[in-house]
Amino acid sequence: MSNELVSTALVTGASRGIGKAISLTLAKEGYQVYITYVSKPQEAEKVVAEIEANGGKAKAFCLNVGDTEAVTKFFQEEIKDKVRLDVLVNNAGITKDGLILRMKDEDFNAVIDINLKGAFTCLREATKIMAKQRFGRVINIVSVVGLMGNAGQANYAAAKAGLIGITKSAAKEFGSRSITINAVAPGFIETDMTSQLPEDIKAKYAEAIPLGCFGSAQNVADAVAFLASEKASYITGQVLSVNGGLYC
Ligand code: NAP
């Protein structure tokens, strides 16, 4: 691979929330950042504009990570031989909550397709490229819920626990190519995803957090930037919790 290719970090689901904070942070670290979105192009373009205003480089792409064919095509057309893919952050995720007895198949499947299969497909396509480079950093955004379970989130907990399994397996497969694969497990973080929670439930969750409040997207972005950095070069197959002590 040519040294002239620009060092790039790909962050899925980066138009808002945690993905946006990760993209802004990795851009400050010097990466060109490729951000993906699925439904909010204007928000994604705002992230690109903010990165460029700070002197960085970024591009936005519409990519449904649940669409395997689209993901494969994206890596072939936009990444392979066009950029040096140093970092993949599998951040895109959705929730479709419901108690098990009432959970519809379509809600179970949608969460697995996007949060688990989507992350797997991106990891598979990225590691094909990183293996040739003999370098790469993959960071999967999982959740405290994948570690401890949560009533009403069996689908989401299964997807995130599954992604932890993929993280540990991939770390074993790709260590010999100097590719590290880790996960960051946020607790409750202030984003659109948690803004859907009723205020009384949010207050109840906050009471259970030793540090006493929800975290910020920046708290998660800082952990991701660490795992992407040279300082984390001997860390692989790990789950770094960013949860205020909620589950420890
Ligand atoms: P968010 O604010 O709801 O943002 C979700 C992002 O994912 C958006 O950029 C959205 O794009 C994108 N997205 C949704 N469906 C997609 C698909 N099919 N393909 C590609 N992109 C898709 O979420 P967040 O709170 O920042 O969460 C980010 C990650 O952290 C998720 O994996 C989530 O499970 C995890 N997490 C969050 C928390 C929390 O408390 N917030 C806690 C633990 C873990 P559009 O804007 O275009 O719709």
Side-chain angles (χ1 to χ4, degrees):
M1 178 144 307
S2 156
N3 287 333
E4 288 159 30
L5 298 179
V6 180
S7 175
T8 300
L10 169 63
V11 185
T12 65
S15 43
R16 316 181 251 135
I18 292 171
K20 175 181 175 180
I22 293 169
S23 300
L24 291 166
T25 303
L26 292 180
K28 282 186 193 143
E29 297 292 325
Y31 296 100
Q32 163 173 249
V33 184
Y34 277 12
I35 73 172
T36 77
Y37 63 93
V38 72
S39 68
K40 294 196 162 48
Q42 306 89 333
E43 298 303 310
E45 287 304 337
K46 275 192 218 159
V47 179
V48 170
E50 195 171 335
I51 289 172
E52 288 175 347
N54 291 337
K57 283 183 82 175
K59 261 192 201 179
F61 301 88
C62 181
L63 180 66
N64 175 3
V65 297
D67 181 343
T68 303
E69 215 176 290
V71 171
T72 309
K73 194 163 171 253
F74 169 77
F75 275 85
Q76 283 294 323
E77 292 183 357
E78 305 290 350
I79 308 278
K80 189 168 179 269
D81 299 330
K82 298 230 163 71
V83 295
R84 187 187 148 85
L85 185 65
D86 284 325
V87 182
L88 165 68
V89 184
N90 268 318
N91 170 77
I94 60 164
T95 50
K96 289 203 181 278
D97 297 350
L99 294 170
I100 290 168
L101 293 178
R102 289 191 219 129
M103 187 171 286
K104 296 187 195 114
D105 281 355
E106 67 215 56
D107 289 345
F108 185 86
N109 292 341
V111 169
I112 298 292
D113 271 356
I114 293 167
N115 297 13
L116 181 61
K117 200 189 81 189
F120 172 75
T121 314
C122 290
L123 178 143
R124 185 183 62 201
E125 298 308 309
T127 47
K128 283 179 190 167
I129 293 164
M130 290 171 172
K132 285 196 184 131
Q133 292 172 184
R134 297 198 163 261
F135 180 84
R137 299 270 185 267
V138 178
I139 297 131
N140 295 319
I141 307 301
V142 295
S143 169
V144 67
V145 168
L147 296 167
M148 69 177 197
N150 198 21
Q153 291 197 303
N155 51 357
Y156 184 75
K160 296 300 191 182
L163 189 49
I164 291 171
I166 290 174
T167 302
K168 290 178 179 290
S169 304
K172 291 187 162 76
E173 288 191 25
F174 292 104
S176 63
R177 302 294 174 104
S178 303
I179 302 169
T180 65
I181 322 258
N182 290 291
V184 170
F188 292 100
I189 306 295
E190 292 282 3
T191 68
D192 289 354
M193 190 175 269
T194 46
S195 68
Q196 296 162 13
L197 290 169
E199 281 307 317
D200 57 326
I201 303 280
K202 274 171 109 171
K204 215 172 111 199
Y205 284 148
E207 266 174 38
I209 300 171
L211 291 182
C213 59
F214 278 31
S216 69
Q218 189 60 48
N219 293 146
V220 181
D222 289 338
V224 170
F226 166 66
L227 288 171
S229 76
E230 180 57 28
K231 289 179 183 155
S233 59
Y234 198 57
I235 300 175
T236 194
Q238 303 304 308
V239 182
L240 176 53
S241 287
V242 181
N243 65 17
L246 175 64
Y247 182 73
C248 52

